[in-house]
Amino acid sequence: MDTKILLAESDMPTHWYNVVADMPTPPSPPLGPDGQPVDPAMLSAIFPEAIIQQEISSERWIEIPKPVREALYLWRPSPLYRAHRLEKKLGTPAKIYYKNESISPAGSHKPNTAIPQAYYNKQAGIKRLTTETGAGQWGCSLSLAGQIFGLDVRVYMVKVSYEQKPYRRSMMKTWGAEVFASPTNMTEAGRNVLAKDPDSPGSLGIAISEAVEEAAGREDTNYSLGSVLNHVLLHQTIIGEEAKKQLAMVGDYPDTVFAPCGGGSNFGGIAFPFFADKAAGKAIELVAVEPTSCPTLTKGTYAYDYGDVAGLTPIMKMYTLGHDFMPPGIHAGGLRYHGDSPLVSQLHHEGLISAVAIPQLETFQAGVLFAQSEGIVPAPESTHAIAATIREAKRCIDTGENKTLLFNLSGHGHFDMTAYDRFFDGSLEDFEYPEEAIKASLAHLPNIG
Amino acid sequence: MDTKILLAESDMPTHWYNVVADMPTPPSPPLGPDGQPVDPAMLSAIFPEAIIQQEISSERWIEIPKPVREALYLWRPSPLYRAHRLEKKLGTPAKIYYKNESISPAGSHKPNTAIPQAYYNKQAGIKRLTTETGAGQWGCSLSLAGQIFGLDVRVYMVKVSYEQKPYRRSMMKTWGAEVFASPTNMTEAGRNVLAKDPDSPGSLGIAISEAVEEAAGREDTNYSLGSVLNHVLLHQTIIGEEAKKQLAMVGDYPDTVFAPCGGGSNFGGIAFPFFADKAAGKAIELVAVEPTSCPTLTKGTYAYDYGDVAGLTPIMKMYTLGHDFMPPGIHAGGLRYHGDSPLVSQLHHEGLISAVAIPQLETFQAGVLFAQSEGIVPAPESTHAIAATIREAKRCIDTGENKTLLFNLSGHGHFDMTAYDRFFDGSLEDFEYPEEAIKASLAHLPNIG
């Protein structure tokens, strides 16, 4: 059979799938600092109405606007690959498929939500978007989307990344965005930090505060987030919908789906459309893969907590390691998040999906094996899904099962080669499970909810 | 109409097209230092028989072996894009198409020839390939190909690039290759250079000498080259063949085809299959695009010259700026070659193709405009074809012609972001036409041929 299963543009899904419609219990609402559910209208200072409606919707299908579909055609539908060479190298009877999201211009699945977010903001008359970025994947995606729809984009990039990872910064500039090293002296949040520590290296929490402050304070400016929230996961479901169509074209269906899980948009994107079948009685396992150094789903607590370090966001019910937990400096920057999507968290709490944590060295071993068999050098986040898939494919050798496995190759590693260098020179390390740090931060959960 | 025109794997060409079959005069043979045509058997110290036969073949169609096709399926057929957004941004009545070769795992068209070269060497019982690389595009491609067919690959990487461009070096290692900073003390050529200058930054010419010396001296080792030679251009014709099929699917045919031209494999790859139609009487213009700072076809002399700086290779009839011409340090490293493919040179000499030279700043302006409309950040080499296409598309605005233009997007710029940085900060420069340097080096042409 073919290596790649391709969909025509005319076969790209026309609607996103909203998992809320099939969840056995309604999602727990986000709460304000007073412990009361957040009024959606309060969000209108930073989000357009269409996004707010998607955030609270329980409609099963939500139409993808035509201009959004036309922009997604720049790379979508993405190919589904049968990993013939990886199967052969492993000697497994399992069939391995992967969805190749690395082919977007920004190199990951992130533009799937950046494009509609920019579109809805443009429709609402907004002129400028702000956001934060760590290593730059999300900042790049929003810069591209802003350029496509004619919106100015201002990215607050964590200072230490701004200095250490100049290439994603250059990419954002190529797509016309302004990029600032956060903390800046342009916001009160930034000035407060600089007053205490002029040499602050910044953090994602600080950058979020700066981006939200600017968006909240300006009529023509909104804020955009790349994961965690319901509407973000909704936009990513196009991945799993396409994969279902493509597998059906070759008469196949997965026994198990694996995806990296940090904020949850990668996992939700590929897994939720399959959850619809599971909710209807189909046997399928959906596995979120996280790093052992930031084991939110596998070692965290299911509780109400803040989405950011500084405690400025609404309080959300989710698996959390505590909002002031600082994960070790692993290279999969997209998986270094203390919490998780409330939707993913609830499904996990109710036993409807599963989770596994994998140490950093095993993920890079898997990434190199993948590159050496399938060609593509994967992003450190994606290597987590690859490693979990390889574990299962090896188990199938022992049991003789010819299971069908599917994983999300969420991005390429072209901007992460220093991590591969460290793997090869032996300086990459596994981190101990940070039990004491997690215990300490879990003691700071808000007394709400 | 659709943004992307896709071919199924079953529609990928099964044969390469050999332009020699349609050239009005036979190619001029390569000569040895004695001025006599090189005996193909002399090449067997560094090339396998199948490659030597392709180098001298005049058969129109040469079959692509099945294992080569199966390896190419890892990314081929590559999509043909209709550049709707670029057309709109320019306001041109011209239709612009581009072939997207940036989606290969190595990020350029180079694996199209690395894969068959590795295959034929493996078939011939060879255990190891040597090659040289500058910025690393070609070294990456051969590393990938060696990994696929189970050959060891040793890359001599120009020392200054080895130190300044670590990421492509890491990529080669990920694909299992050994990478050395050239000059090394592992070869006589390297030791000679180091004896005179222990701090030598290296050059492509030195690296070629090291790679050839090792291959010539070992039974189990061959050498592999990424451009210039006939068999390399042959392997790249899959690009143009696919493009013809894809254009036919939408009932279109190009008036003009543009491709970057350094050693010639990029241009030959997309243009030669269209030359077959031109030879049969069809009106079509084939344009090789080169940098004004290294204007081989537009300002060089058509004469016998060495392929390398040190004068170790056979002498080939080609457009040349002189084998010891040192081009200015433009960022399109793949276009910094003093000579050109003998096949491309002969077609140009006979007036059957045309050439244009474009200054560096204009190419980067074009690259940014392309990234801001089509998403993909192009390689500096590719921006040359984009710039030439934009010139023609703008001319069509003035004349009102709705011409059909096609160019080869040969690679992405993910490892060239420092060049974009320099463009944005204003430190990127145009170079004066190096008239005196070219005049001086042309005085050193061999007195042969």
Side-chain angles (χ1 to χ4, degrees), chain A residues 410-431:
Chain A
S410 52
H412 61 61
H414 299 173
F415 297 93
D416 303 286
M417 295 313 299
T418 46
Y420 281 90
D421 273 343
R422 293 194 57 212
F423 175 71
F424 289 121
D425 75 17
S427 67
L428 199 72
E429 54 195 336
D430 279 336
F431 293 94

Side-chain angles (χ1 to χ4, degrees), chain A residues 28 53 145 257 287 416 436:
Chain A
S28 304
Q53 287 308 315
V257 179
V287 184
D416 303 286
E436 288 308 309

Side-chain angles (χ1 to χ4, degrees), chain B residues 33 90 98 148 175 213 264-265 275 343 395 418:
Chain B
L90 292 168
Y98 60 94
I148 285 173
W175 285 318
E213 179 186 324
S265 79
F275 178 79
L343 295 179
R395 211 187 52 75
T418 45

Side-chain angles (χ1 to χ4, degrees), chain B residues 98-349:
Chain B
Y98 60 94
K99 188 72 169 151
N100 184 1
E101 293 292 310
S102 77
I103 59 159
S104 83
S108 80
H109 66 300
K110 291 286 181 192
N112 294 335
T113 183
I115 297 278
Q117 289 194 46
Y119 169 77
Y120 288 122
N121 276 289
K122 179 72 178 183
Q123 288 300 101
I126 291 298
K127 306 285 181 218
R128 172 201 269 160
L129 292 176
T130 63
T131 197
E132 73 289 335
T133 201
Q137 283 272 17
W138 170 243
C140 278
S141 301
L142 196 68
S143 303
L144 170 66
Q147 179 61 235
I148 285 173
F149 289 110
L151 285 166
D152 292 338
V153 173
R154 183 169 277 191
V155 182
Y156 292 89
M157 187 172 185
V158 177
K159 194 200 268 174
V160 60
S161 296
Y162 183 93
E163 284 161 1
Q164 287 175 0
K165 305 198 173 181
Y167 300 118
R168 285 212 169 269
R169 185 179 82 201
S170 318
M171 223 169 171
M172 292 182 246
K173 287 186 180 170
T174 303
W175 285 318
E178 291 179 298
V179 189
F180 298 97
S182 165
T184 73
N185 56 18
M186 292 154 42
T187 66
E188 200 180 318
R191 285 188 295 269
N192 285 344
V193 173
L194 291 173
K196 284 181 206 147
D197 179 7
D199 297 322
S200 165
S203 76
L204 216 43
I206 297 165
I208 292 176
S209 303
E210 292 205 274
V212 170
E213 179 186 324
E214 181 181 348
R218 294 181 62 139
E219 270 297 313
D220 64 350
T221 302
N222 268 345
Y223 168 72
S224 193
L225 189 70
S227 195
V228 181
L229 299 180
N230 300 1
H231 68 275
V232 180
L233 274 67
L234 175 78
H235 300 156
Q236 292 292 356
T237 57
I238 195 168
I239 303 172
E241 288 184 72
E242 284 181 4
K244 276 173 78 167
K245 282 193 175 196
Q246 288 163 311
L247 285 165
M249 285 165 70
V250 294
D252 217 335
Y253 191 87
D255 294 293
T256 318
V257 179
F258 299 93
C261 196
S265 79
N266 193 326
F267 173 76
I270 195 162
F272 282 180
F274 291 98
F275 178 79
D277 300 338
K278 190 181 173 90
K282 189 129 187 163
I284 181 169
E285 203 182 355
L286 307 172
V287 185
V289 190
E290 56 186 22
T292 46
S293 53
C294 188
T296 319
L297 295 172
T298 51
K299 302 273 188 182
T301 296
Y302 187 57
Y304 268 100
D305 196 5
Y306 291 104
D308 67 329
V309 179
L312 297 176
T313 68
I315 306 164
M316 296 176 291
K317 187 126 187 208
M318 58 182 178
Y319 278 90
T320 179
L321 300 168
H323 61 275
D324 53 6
F325 171 68
M326 265 299 194
I330 56 166
H331 285 275
L335 308 185
R336 291 180 69 232
Y337 184 60
H338 71 276
D340 212 318
S341 145
L343 295 179
V344 171
S345 295
Q346 183 168 325
L347 290 173
H348 183 53
H349 184 65

Side-chain angles (χ1 to χ4, degrees), chain A residues 40-163:
Chain A
M42 288 170 59
L43 299 171
S44 65
I46 56 170
F47 293 127
E49 185 59 22
I51 292 282
I52 296 172
Q53 287 308 315
Q54 292 180 354
E55 188 61 25
I56 60 175
S57 172
S58 56
E59 290 287 318
R60 180 171 281 105
W61 297 105
I62 296 177
E63 189 170 9
I64 308 176
K66 189 156 174 273
V68 170
R69 278 184 280 140
E70 286 173 348
L72 294 175
Y73 290 153
L74 284 174
W75 73 96
R76 299 207 77 85
S78 72
L80 180 77
Y81 274 69
R82 173 75 184 271
H84 292 296
R85 289 163 195 274
L86 179 60
E87 289 171 17
K88 200 172 163 193
K89 202 159 257 184
L90 291 169
T92 180
K95 288 185 281 184
I96 303 176
Y97 294 91
Y98 60 94
K99 188 73 170 152
N100 184 0
E101 293 292 309
S102 77
I103 59 159
S104 82
S108 79
H109 66 300
K110 291 286 182 191
N112 294 335
T113 182
I115 298 276
Q117 289 193 47
Y119 169 77
Y120 289 122
N121 276 289
K122 180 71 177 184
Q123 288 299 100
I126 290 298
K127 305 286 181 217
R128 172 201 269 161
L129 291 176
T130 64
T131 198
E132 73 289 335
T133 201
Q137 282 271 19
W138 170 243
C140 278
S141 302
L142 196 68
S143 302
L144 170 66
Q147 178 61 235
I148 286 173
F149 289 109
L151 285 166
D152 293 338
V153 172
R154 183 169 277 191
V155 182
Y156 291 89
M157 187 172 186
V158 177
K159 194 199 269 174
V160 61
S161 295
Y162 183 93
E163 285 161 1

Side-chain angles (χ1 to χ4, degrees), chain A residues 223-297:
Chain A
Y223 168 73
S224 194
L225 190 70
S227 193
V228 181
L229 299 180
N230 300 1
H231 68 275
V232 180
L233 275 66
L234 175 78
H235 300 156
Q236 293 291 357
T237 58
I238 195 168
I239 303 172
E241 287 184 73
E242 285 181 4
K244 276 173 79 168
K245 281 193 175 196
Q246 288 162 312
L247 284 166
M249 286 164 69
V250 292
D252 217 335
Y253 192 87
D255 294 294
T256 318
V257 179
F258 299 94
C261 195
S265 79
N266 193 325
F267 173 76
I270 196 163
F272 282 179
F274 290 97
F275 179 78
D277 300 338
K278 190 181 174 90
K282 189 130 186 162
I284 182 169
E285 202 182 355
L286 307 172
V287 184
V289 190
E290 55 186 21
T292 46
S293 53
C294 189
T296 319
L297 294 171

